[in-house]
Amino acid sequence: MDLDALLANYFGTADLASLDDAAFADGVDRLAIAFATETEPGRRFALWALLHGIGEAPDPATAFKDDPRTRDAAIAYARLADRAGD
């Protein structure tokens, strides 16, 4: 998945800093709906990772409750991403 393409698809731009609060919230809503309705595991994880990157991801235990391997991967990803941000 191409990050700029995903951002343009859900937010209308790859430059999130250029969005006002309402446009950002609308993009988050579209992205969250896409995540909730996606059935392909790899794509679903990628959408969750994008939500995580913008601080809007659901908890991995909730988001991937029916898929222990993906849940564990999401937890590990979140820990590493949070550590990298520090």
Side-chain angles (χ1 to χ4, degrees):
M1 294 186 144
D2 179 81
L3 179 60
D4 287 341
L6 286 171
L7 293 173
N9 184 56
Y10 295 109
F11 294 93
T13 181
D15 181 13
L16 296 183
S18 70
L19 298 174
D20 63 23
D21 291 344
F24 182 77
D26 288 344
V28 170
D29 287 346
R30 285 190 291 277
L31 182 54
I33 290 168
F35 169 73
T37 58
E38 181 59 55
T39 59
E40 197 280 312
R43 187 166 166 79
R44 192 162 192 269
F45 186 87
L47 295 173
W48 177 87
L50 179 54
L51 284 165
H52 184 271
I54 61 173
E56 299 291 336
D59 180 77
T62 303
F64 302 107
K65 66 181 177 207
D66 296 331
D67 184 352
R69 287 184 63 199
T70 304
R71 181 189 60 232
D72 293 345
I75 290 168
Y77 172 86
R79 283 186 186 142
L80 289 172
D82 292 344
R83 243 189 275 163
D86 289 341

